[in-house]
Coordinates of all heavy atoms in Angstrom, one line a residue:
M1 N 11.0 -23.4 52.3 CA 10.3 -23.3 51.0 C 11.4 -23.7 49.9 O 12.5 -23.1 49.8 CB 9.9 -21.8 50.7 CG 9.0 -21.6 49.5 SD 8.6 -19.9 49.3 CE 7.0 -19.9 50.1
D2 N 11.0 -24.7 49.2 CA 12.0 -25.2 48.2 C 11.8 -24.5 46.8 O 10.9 -23.6 46.7 CB 11.9 -26.7 48.0 CG 10.5 -27.1 47.5 OD1 9.6 -26.3 47.5 OD2 10.4 -28.3 47.0
S3 N 12.7 -24.8 45.9 CA 12.7 -24.1 44.6 C 11.4 -24.3 43.8 O 11.0 -23.4 43.1 CB 13.9 -24.5 43.8 OG 13.8 -25.8 43.5
Q4 N 10.8 -25.4 43.9 CA 9.6 -25.7 43.2 C 8.4 -24.8 43.6 O 7.7 -24.3 42.8 CB 9.1 -27.2 43.3 CG 7.9 -27.5 42.5 CD 8.2 -27.4 41.0 OE1 9.3 -27.7 40.5 NE2 7.2 -26.9 40.3
D5 N 8.4 -24.5 44.9 CA 7.3 -23.6 45.4 C 7.6 -22.2 44.9 O 6.6 -21.4 44.6 CB 7.4 -23.6 47.0 CG 6.8 -24.9 47.6 OD1 6.0 -25.5 46.9 OD2 7.1 -25.2 48.7
L6 N 8.9 -21.7 44.8 CA 9.2 -20.4 44.3 C 8.8 -20.3 42.8 O 8.3 -19.3 42.4 CB 10.7 -20.1 44.5 CG 11.1 -19.9 45.9 CD1 12.6 -19.7 46.0 CD2 10.4 -18.6 46.5
I7 N 9.1 -21.4 42.1 CA 8.7 -21.4 40.6 C 7.2 -21.3 40.5 O 6.7 -20.6 39.6 CB 9.3 -22.6 39.9 CG1 10.9 -22.5 39.9 CG2 8.8 -22.8 38.5 CD1 11.6 -23.8 39.4
N8 N 6.5 -22.1 41.3 CA 5.0 -22.1 41.2 C 4.5 -20.7 41.6 O 3.5 -20.2 40.9 CB 4.4 -23.2 42.2 CG 4.6 -24.6 41.6 OD1 4.9 -24.8 40.5 ND2 4.5 -25.5 42.5
F9 N 5.0 -20.1 42.6 CA 4.6 -18.8 43.0 C 4.9 -17.8 41.9 O 4.0 -16.9 41.6 CB 5.3 -18.4 44.3 CG 4.9 -17.0 44.8 CD1 3.6 -16.8 45.3 CD2 5.7 -15.9 44.6 CE1 3.2 -15.5 45.7 CE2 5.3 -14.6 45.0 CZ 4.1 -14.4 45.6
A10 N 6.0 -17.8 41.3 CA 6.4 -16.9 40.2 C 5.4 -17.1 39.0 O 5.0 -16.2 38.4 CB 7.8 -17.1 39.8
F11 N 5.1 -18.4 38.7 CA 4.2 -18.7 37.6 C 2.8 -18.1 37.9 O 2.2 -17.6 37.0 CB 4.2 -20.2 37.3 CG 3.2 -20.6 36.2 CD1 3.6 -20.3 34.9 CD2 2.0 -21.2 36.5 CE1 2.7 -20.7 33.9 CE2 1.2 -21.5 35.5 CZ 1.5 -21.2 34.2
I12 N 2.3 -18.3 39.1 CA 1.0 -17.9 39.5 C 1.0 -16.3 39.4 O 0.0 -15.7 39.0 CB 0.6 -18.4 40.9 CG1 0.3 -19.9 40.8 CG2 -0.6 -17.7 41.4 CD1 0.1 -20.5 42.1
A13 N 2.0 -15.7 39.9 CA 2.1 -14.2 39.9 C 2.1 -13.7 38.4 O 1.3 -12.8 38.1 CB 3.3 -13.7 40.6
A14 N 2.9 -14.3 37.6 CA 2.9 -13.9 36.2 C 1.6 -14.2 35.5 O 1.1 -13.3 34.7 CB 4.0 -14.7 35.5
A15 N 1.0 -15.3 35.8 CA -0.3 -15.6 35.2 C -1.4 -14.6 35.6 O -2.3 -14.2 34.9 CB -0.7 -17.1 35.5
S16 N -1.3 -14.2 36.9 CA -2.3 -13.3 37.4 C -2.1 -11.9 36.8 O -3.1 -11.3 36.4 CB -2.1 -13.1 38.9 OG -2.4 -14.3 39.6
V17 N -0.9 -11.5 36.6 CA -0.7 -10.2 35.9 C -1.1 -10.3 34.5 O -1.8 -9.3 34.0 CB 0.8 -9.8 36.0 CG1 1.1 -8.6 35.1 CG2 1.2 -9.5 37.5
L18 N -0.8 -11.4 33.8 CA -1.2 -11.5 32.4 C -2.8 -11.6 32.3 O -3.3 -11.0 31.4 CB -0.6 -12.8 31.8 CG -0.8 -13.0 30.4 CD1 -0.2 -11.9 29.5 CD2 -0.3 -14.4 30.0
G19 N -3.4 -12.3 33.2 CA -4.9 -12.3 33.2 C -5.5 -11.0 33.5 O -6.5 -10.6 32.8
W20 N -4.9 -10.2 34.4 CA -5.5 -8.8 34.7 C -5.3 -8.0 33.4 O -6.2 -7.2 33.0 CB -4.7 -8.2 35.8 CG -5.0 -6.8 36.0 CD1 -6.1 -6.3 36.6 CD2 -4.2 -5.7 35.5 NE1 -6.0 -4.9 36.6 CE2 -4.9 -4.5 35.9 CE3 -3.0 -5.6 34.9 CZ2 -4.4 -3.2 35.6 CZ3 -2.6 -4.3 34.5 CH2 -3.2 -3.2 34.9
F21 N -4.1 -8.1 32.8 CA -3.9 -7.3 31.6 C -4.8 -7.6 30.5 O -5.4 -6.8 29.8 CB -2.4 -7.5 31.1 CG -2.0 -6.6 29.9 CD1 -1.8 -5.3 30.1 CD2 -1.9 -7.2 28.7 CE1 -1.5 -4.5 29.0 CE2 -1.5 -6.5 27.6 CZ -1.3 -5.1 27.7
A22 N -5.1 -8.9 30.3 CA -6.0 -9.4 29.2 C -7.4 -8.9 29.5 O -8.1 -8.5 28.6 CB -6.0 -10.9 29.1
R23 N -7.8 -8.9 30.8 CA -9.2 -8.4 31.1 C -9.3 -6.9 30.9 O -10.3 -6.5 30.4 CB -9.5 -8.7 32.6 CG -10.9 -8.4 33.0 CD -11.2 -8.6 34.4 NE -10.5 -7.5 35.1 CZ -10.0 -7.5 36.3 NH1 -10.1 -8.6 37.0 NH2 -9.4 -6.5 36.9
E24 N -8.3 -6.2 31.2 CA -8.3 -4.7 31.0 C -8.4 -4.4 29.5 O -9.1 -3.6 29.0 CB -7.0 -4.1 31.6 CG -7.0 -4.0 33.1 CD -8.2 -3.2 33.6 OE1 -8.4 -2.1 33.1 OE2 -8.8 -3.6 34.6
M25 N -7.6 -5.2 28.7 CA -7.6 -5.0 27.2 C -9.0 -5.4 26.7 O -9.5 -4.7 25.8 CB -6.5 -5.8 26.5 CG -5.1 -5.4 26.9 SD -4.8 -3.6 26.7 CE -4.6 -3.5 25.0
W26 N -9.6 -6.4 27.2 CA -10.9 -6.8 26.7 C -11.9 -5.8 27.0 O -12.8 -5.4 26.1 CB -11.3 -8.2 27.4 CG -12.6 -8.7 26.9 CD1 -13.8 -8.6 27.5 CD2 -12.8 -9.4 25.7 NE1 -14.8 -9.2 26.7 CE2 -14.2 -9.7 25.6 CE3 -12.0 -9.8 24.6 CZ2 -14.7 -10.4 24.5 CZ3 -12.5 -10.5 23.6 CH2 -13.9 -10.8 23.5
S27 N -11.9 -5.2 28.2 CA -12.9 -4.2 28.5 C -12.6 -2.9 27.7 O -13.6 -2.2 27.3 CB -12.9 -3.9 30.0 OG -11.7 -3.3 30.4
A28 N -11.4 -2.6 27.4 CA -11.1 -1.4 26.6 C -11.6 -1.6 25.2 O -12.1 -0.7 24.6 CB -9.6 -1.1 26.6
V29 N -11.4 -2.8 24.7 CA -11.9 -3.1 23.3 C -13.4 -3.0 23.3 O -14.0 -2.4 22.3 CB -11.4 -4.5 22.8 CG1 -12.2 -4.9 21.6 CG2 -9.9 -4.4 22.6
K30 N -14.1 -3.5 24.3 CA -15.6 -3.4 24.3 C -16.0 -1.9 24.4 O -17.0 -1.5 23.7 CB -16.1 -4.2 25.5 CG -16.1 -5.7 25.3 CD -16.5 -6.4 26.5 CE -17.9 -6.3 26.8 NZ -18.4 -7.1 27.9
E31 N -15.3 -1.1 25.2 CA -15.7 0.3 25.2 C -15.4 1.0 23.9 O -16.2 1.9 23.5 CB -14.8 1.0 26.3 CG -15.2 0.7 27.7 CD -14.4 1.4 28.8 OE1 -13.8 2.4 28.4 OE2 -14.3 0.8 29.9
L32 N -14.3 0.7 23.3 CA -14.0 1.3 21.9 C -15.1 0.9 20.9 O -15.5 1.7 20.1 CB -12.6 0.8 21.5 CG -11.5 1.5 22.1 CD1 -10.2 0.9 21.7 CD2 -11.5 3.0 21.8
K33 N -15.5 -0.3 20.9 CA -16.6 -0.8 20.0 C -17.9 0.0 20.3 O -18.6 0.4 19.3 CB -16.9 -2.3 20.2 CG -15.8 -3.1 19.5 CD -16.2 -4.6 19.6 CE -15.1 -5.5 19.0 NZ -15.4 -6.9 19.1
A34 N -18.2 0.2 21.5 CA -19.4 1.0 21.9 C -19.3 2.4 21.4 O -20.2 3.0 20.8 CB -19.7 0.9 23.4
D35 N -18.1 3.0 21.7 CA -17.8 4.4 21.2 C -17.9 4.5 19.7 O -18.4 5.5 19.2 CB -16.5 4.9 21.7 CG -16.5 5.1 23.2 OD1 -17.6 5.2 23.8 OD2 -15.4 5.2 23.8
L36 N -17.4 3.6 19.0 CA -17.4 3.6 17.6 C -18.8 3.5 17.0 O -19.2 4.2 16.1 CB -16.5 2.4 17.0 CG -16.4 2.4 15.5 CD1 -15.7 3.7 15.0 CD2 -15.6 1.2 15.1
G37 N -19.6 2.7 17.7 CA -21.0 2.6 17.3 C -21.8 3.9 17.5 O -22.5 4.3 16.6
K38 N -21.5 4.6 18.6 CA -22.1 5.9 18.9 C -21.6 6.9 17.8 O -22.4 7.7 17.3 CB -21.8 6.4 20.3 CG -22.5 5.6 21.4 CD -22.0 6.2 22.7 CE -22.6 5.3 23.8 NZ -22.1 5.8 25.1
L39 N -20.4 6.8 17.5 CA -19.8 7.8 16.5 C -20.4 7.6 15.1 O -20.7 8.5 14.4 CB -18.3 7.6 16.4 CG -17.5 8.5 15.5 CD1 -17.7 10.0 16.0 CD2 -16.1 8.2 15.5
R40 N -20.6 6.3 14.8 CA -21.3 6.0 13.5 C -22.7 6.6 13.4 O -23.2 7.0 12.4 CB -21.3 4.5 13.2 CG -20.0 4.0 12.8 CD -20.0 2.5 12.4 NE -18.7 2.1 12.0 CZ -18.3 0.8 12.1 NH1 -19.1 -0.1 12.6 NH2 -17.1 0.5 11.8
E41 N -23.4 6.6 14.6 CA -24.7 7.1 14.6 C -24.7 8.6 14.6 O -25.6 9.2 13.9 CB -25.5 6.7 15.9 CG -25.8 5.2 15.9 CD -26.4 4.8 17.2 OE1 -26.7 5.7 18.0 OE2 -26.6 3.6 17.4
E42 N -23.8 9.3 15.2 CA -23.7 10.7 15.3 C -23.1 11.4 14.1 O -23.4 12.6 13.8 CB -23.0 11.1 16.6 CG -23.7 10.7 17.8 CD -22.9 11.0 19.1 OE1 -21.8 11.5 19.0 OE2 -23.4 10.6 20.2
M43 N -22.2 10.8 13.4 CA -21.5 11.4 12.3 C -22.4 12.0 11.2 O -22.3 13.1 10.8 CB -20.5 10.4 11.6 CG -19.3 10.2 12.4 SD -18.0 11.4 12.1 CE -17.6 11.0 10.5
P44 N -23.4 11.2 10.7 CA -24.3 11.8 9.7 C -25.1 13.0 10.1 O -25.5 13.8 9.3 CB -25.2 10.6 9.3 CG -24.6 9.4 9.8 CD -23.7 9.8 11.0
R45 N -25.3 13.2 11.4 CA -26.0 14.3 11.9 C -25.1 15.6 11.9 O -25.6 16.7 11.7 CB -26.5 14.1 13.3 CG -27.5 13.0 13.4 CD -28.0 12.9 14.8 NE -28.6 11.6 15.0 CZ -28.6 10.9 16.1 NH1 -28.0 11.3 17.1 NH2 -29.2 9.7 16.1
S46 N -23.8 15.4 12.1 CA -22.9 16.6 12.2 C -22.2 16.9 10.9 O -21.9 18.0 10.7 CB -21.9 16.3 13.3 OG -22.5 16.0 14.6
Y47 N -21.9 15.9 10.1 CA -21.1 16.1 9.0 C -21.8 15.6 7.7 O -22.7 14.7 7.8 CB -19.8 15.3 9.1 CG -19.0 15.7 10.3 CD1 -19.0 15.0 11.4 CD2 -18.2 16.9 10.2 CE1 -18.2 15.5 12.5 CE2 -17.4 17.3 11.2 CZ -17.5 16.6 12.4 OH -16.7 17.0 13.5
V48 N -21.5 16.1 6.6 CA -22.1 15.8 5.3 C -21.2 14.7 4.7 O -20.0 14.8 4.6 CB -22.2 17.0 4.4 CG1 -22.8 16.6 3.1 CG2 -23.0 18.1 5.1
M49 N -21.9 13.7 4.1 CA -21.1 12.7 3.4 C -20.5 13.3 2.1 O -21.1 14.2 1.5 CB -22.0 11.5 3.1 CG -22.3 10.7 4.3 SD -23.5 9.3 4.0 CE -22.9 8.6 2.5
K50 N -19.4 12.8 1.7 CA -18.7 13.4 0.5 C -19.6 13.3 -0.7 O -19.6 14.3 -1.5 CB -17.4 12.6 0.3 CG -16.5 13.2 -0.7 CD -15.2 12.4 -0.9 CE -14.2 12.7 0.2 NZ -12.9 12.1 0.0
E51 N -20.2 12.2 -0.9 CA -21.1 12.1 -2.2 C -22.2 13.1 -2.1 O -22.6 13.6 -3.2 CB -21.6 10.6 -2.3 CG -22.0 10.3 -3.6 CD -20.9 10.4 -4.7 OE1 -19.8 10.1 -4.4 OE2 -21.3 10.9 -5.8
D52 N -22.9 13.3 -1.0 CA -23.9 14.2 -0.9 C -23.4 15.6 -1.2 O -24.1 16.4 -1.9 CB -24.6 14.2 0.5 CG -25.3 12.9 0.7 OD1 -25.7 12.2 -0.3 OD2 -25.6 12.6 1.9
Y53 N -22.3 16.0 -0.7 CA -21.7 17.3 -0.9 C -21.4 17.5 -2.4 O -21.7 18.6 -2.9 CB -20.4 17.4 -0.1 CG -19.6 18.7 -0.3 CD1 -20.0 19.9 0.2 CD2 -18.5 18.7 -1.1 CE1 -19.4 21.0 0.0 CE2 -17.8 19.8 -1.4 CZ -18.2 21.0 -0.8 OH -17.5 22.2 -1.0
R54 N -20.8 16.5 -3.0 CA -20.5 16.6 -4.4 C -21.8 16.8 -5.3 O -21.8 17.6 -6.2 CB -19.7 15.4 -4.9 CG -18.3 15.4 -4.4 CD -17.6 14.2 -5.0 NE -16.2 14.2 -4.5 CZ -15.4 13.2 -4.5 NH1 -15.8 12.0 -4.9 NH2 -14.2 13.3 -4.1
R55 N -22.8 16.1 -4.9 CA -24.1 16.2 -5.7 C -24.7 17.6 -5.5 O -25.1 18.2 -6.5 CB -25.0 15.1 -5.2 CG -26.3 15.0 -6.1 CD -27.2 13.9 -5.7 NE -27.5 13.9 -4.2 CZ -27.3 13.0 -3.4 NH1 -26.7 11.9 -3.8 NH2 -27.6 13.1 -2.1
D56 N -24.7 18.1 -4.3 CA -25.2 19.4 -4.0 C -24.4 20.5 -4.7 O -25.0 21.4 -5.3 CB -25.3 19.7 -2.5 CG -26.3 18.8 -1.8 OD1 -27.2 18.3 -2.5 OD2 -26.2 18.7 -0.6
I57 N -23.1 20.4 -4.6 CA -22.3 21.4 -5.3 C -22.5 21.4 -6.8 O -22.5 22.4 -7.5 CB -20.8 21.2 -4.9 CG1 -20.5 21.5 -3.5 CG2 -19.9 22.0 -5.9 CD1 -20.8 23.0 -3.1
Y58 N -22.7 20.2 -7.4 CA -22.9 20.1 -8.8 C -24.2 20.8 -9.2 O -24.3 21.5 -10.2 CB -23.0 18.6 -9.2 CG -23.3 18.4 -10.7 CD1 -22.3 18.6 -11.6 CD2 -24.5 18.0 -11.1 CE1 -22.6 18.4 -13.0 CE2 -24.8 17.8 -12.4 CZ -23.8 18.0 -13.3 OH -24.1 17.9 -14.7
E59 N -25.3 20.6 -8.3 CA -26.5 21.2 -8.6 C -26.4 22.8 -8.5 O -27.0 23.5 -9.4 CB -27.6 20.8 -7.6 CG -28.0 19.3 -7.8 CD -29.0 18.8 -6.7 OE1 -29.4 19.6 -5.9 OE2 -29.3 17.6 -6.7
I60 N -25.7 23.2 -7.6 CA -25.4 24.7 -7.4 C -24.7 25.2 -8.6 O -25.0 26.3 -9.1 CB -24.7 25.0 -6.1 CG1 -25.6 24.7 -4.9 CG2 -24.2 26.4 -6.1 CD1 -24.9 24.8 -3.6
K61 N -23.7 24.5 -9.0 CA -22.9 25.0 -10.2 C -23.8 25.0 -11.5 O -23.7 25.9 -12.3 CB -21.7 24.1 -10.5 CG -20.6 24.3 -9.5 CD -19.4 23.4 -9.8 CE -18.3 23.7 -8.8 NZ -17.1 22.8 -9.0
E62 N -24.7 24.0 -11.6 CA -25.6 24.0 -12.7 C -26.5 25.2 -12.7 O -26.8 25.9 -13.7 CB -26.4 22.7 -12.8 CG -25.6 21.5 -13.2 CD -25.2 21.6 -14.6 OE1 -26.0 22.0 -15.5 OE2 -24.0 21.3 -14.9
M63 N -27.0 25.5 -11.5 CA -27.9 26.7 -11.4 C -27.1 28.0 -11.7 O -27.7 28.9 -12.4 CB -28.5 26.8 -9.9 CG -29.6 25.8 -9.7 SD -30.4 26.2 -8.1 CE -29.4 25.1 -7.1
L64 N -25.9 28.1 -11.2 CA -25.1 29.3 -11.5 C -24.8 29.4 -13.0 O -24.8 30.5 -13.6 CB -23.8 29.3 -10.7 CG -23.9 29.6 -9.2 CD1 -22.6 29.3 -8.5 CD2 -24.4 31.0 -9.0
N65 N -24.6 28.3 -13.7 CA -24.3 28.3 -15.1 C -25.6 28.8 -15.9 O -25.5 29.6 -16.8 CB -23.9 27.0 -15.6 CG -22.5 26.6 -15.3 OD1 -21.7 27.5 -15.1 ND2 -22.2 25.4 -15.2
K66 N -26.7 28.4 -15.4 CA -28.0 28.9 -16.1 C -28.1 30.4 -15.9 O -28.5 31.1 -16.8 CB -29.2 28.1 -15.5 CG -29.3 26.7 -16.0 CD -30.5 26.0 -15.4 CE -30.5 24.5 -15.8 NZ -31.7 23.9 -15.1
I67 N -27.9 30.8 -14.6 CA -28.0 32.3 -14.3 C -27.0 33.1 -15.2 O -27.3 34.1 -15.8 CB -27.7 32.5 -12.8 CG1 -28.9 32.0 -12.0 CG2 -27.6 34.0 -12.6 CD1 -28.7 32.0 -10.5
F68 N -25.8 32.6 -15.3 CA -24.8 33.3 -16.1 C -25.1 33.3 -17.6 O -24.9 34.3 -18.3 CB -23.4 32.7 -15.9 CG -22.8 33.0 -14.5 CD1 -22.0 32.0 -13.9 CD2 -23.0 34.2 -13.9 CE1 -21.5 32.3 -12.6 CE2 -22.4 34.5 -12.7 CZ -21.7 33.5 -12.0
D69 N -25.7 32.2 -18.1 CA -26.1 32.2 -19.4 C -27.2 33.2 -19.7 O -27.3 33.9 -20.7 CB -26.6 30.8 -19.8 CG -25.5 29.8 -19.9 OD1 -24.3 30.2 -20.1 OD2 -25.7 28.6 -19.9
R70 N -28.2 33.3 -18.8 CA -29.3 34.3 -18.9 C -28.7 35.7 -18.9 O -29.1 36.6 -19.6 CB -30.3 34.1 -17.8 CG -31.2 32.9 -18.0 CD -32.2 32.8 -16.9 NE -33.0 31.6 -17.1 CZ -33.9 31.2 -16.2 NH1 -34.1 31.9 -15.1 NH2 -34.6 30.2 -16.5
L71 N -27.7 35.9 -18.0 CA -27.2 37.3 -17.9 C -26.4 37.6 -19.2 O -26.5 38.7 -19.7 CB -26.2 37.4 -16.7 CG -26.9 37.5 -15.4 CD1 -25.8 37.4 -14.3 CD2 -27.7 38.7 -15.2
D72 N -25.7 36.6 -19.8 CA -25.0 36.8 -21.0 C -26.0 37.1 -22.1 O -25.7 38.0 -23.0 CB -24.2 35.6 -21.4 CG -22.9 35.5 -20.6 OD1 -22.5 36.5 -20.0 OD2 -22.3 34.4 -20.5
N73 N -27.1 36.5 -22.2 CA -28.1 36.7 -23.2 C -28.7 38.1 -23.0 O -29.0 38.8 -24.0 CB -29.3 35.7 -23.1 CG -28.8 34.3 -23.6 OD1 -27.8 34.3 -24.4 ND2 -29.5 33.3 -23.2
K74 N -28.9 38.6 -21.8 CA -29.4 39.9 -21.6 C -28.4 41.0 -22.0 O -28.8 42.0 -22.5 CB -29.9 40.1 -20.1 CG -31.1 39.3 -19.8 CD -31.8 39.9 -18.6 CE -33.0 39.1 -18.4 NZ -34.1 39.9 -18.1
V75 N -27.2 40.7 -21.7 CA -26.1 41.7 -22.1 C -26.0 41.8 -23.6 O -25.8 42.9 -24.1 CB -24.8 41.3 -21.5 CG1 -23.6 42.1 -22.1 CG2 -24.8 41.4 -20.0
D76 N -26.2 40.7 -24.3 CA -26.1 40.7 -25.7 C -27.3 41.5 -26.4 O -27.1 42.1 -27.5 CB -26.1 39.3 -26.3 CG -24.8 38.5 -25.9 OD1 -23.9 39.2 -25.6 OD2 -24.9 37.3 -26.0
K77 N -28.4 41.6 -25.8 CA -29.5 42.3 -26.3 C -29.4 43.8 -26.2 O -29.0 44.7 -26.3 CB -30.8 41.9 -25.6 CG -31.2 40.5 -26.0 CD -32.5 40.2 -25.4 CE -33.0 38.8 -25.7 NZ -34.2 38.4 -25.2

């Protein structure tokens, strides 16, 4: 076996390892994309969006202010 055959064998082995690694990375990226898609669908069911929370808290604060104003008016009488 001459040196060219060894170089070819080493190149083929390196290319095979690199190809396997690239295939594994590709499948991992595809799985991550699928998981991210599922997470985007499930998040609104489990968690409240920040803007919805702020709007709801604002409404609650407005209701409490009205109640406190009424109580202050009753105390004054």
Side-chain angles (χ1 to χ4, degrees):
M1 190 180 266
D2 62 345
S3 64
Q4 186 62 39
D5 288 337
L6 290 174
I7 292 172
N8 287 342
F9 180 74
F11 179 74
I12 289 172
S16 297
V17 169
L18 185 62
W20 171 81
F21 183 73
R23 188 186 71 209
E24 290 296 317
M25 295 309 279
W26 183 260
S27 64
V29 167
K30 286 174 71 175
E31 287 179 24
L32 284 173
K33 285 182 181 179
D35 289 344
L36 185 60
K38 289 179 187 175
L39 184 63
R40 284 185 180 153
E41 290 175 8
E42 293 173 4
M43 283 276 290
R45 295 182 199 147
S46 302
Y47 299 100
V48 177
M49 289 177 41
K50 189 181 280 188
E51 199 58 39
D52 292 340
Y53 175 76
R54 286 182 179 161
R55 187 177 53 240
D56 291 342
I57 290 297
Y58 178 77
E59 291 174 5
I60 291 171
K61 286 181 179 179
E62 287 296 314
M63 283 189 267
L64 287 174
N65 284 334
K66 288 178 183 178
I67 291 170
F68 290 143
D69 289 342
R70 285 183 182 171
L71 285 174
D72 285 341
N73 288 337
K74 289 206 178 223
V75 168
D76 291 341
K77 289 183 178 182

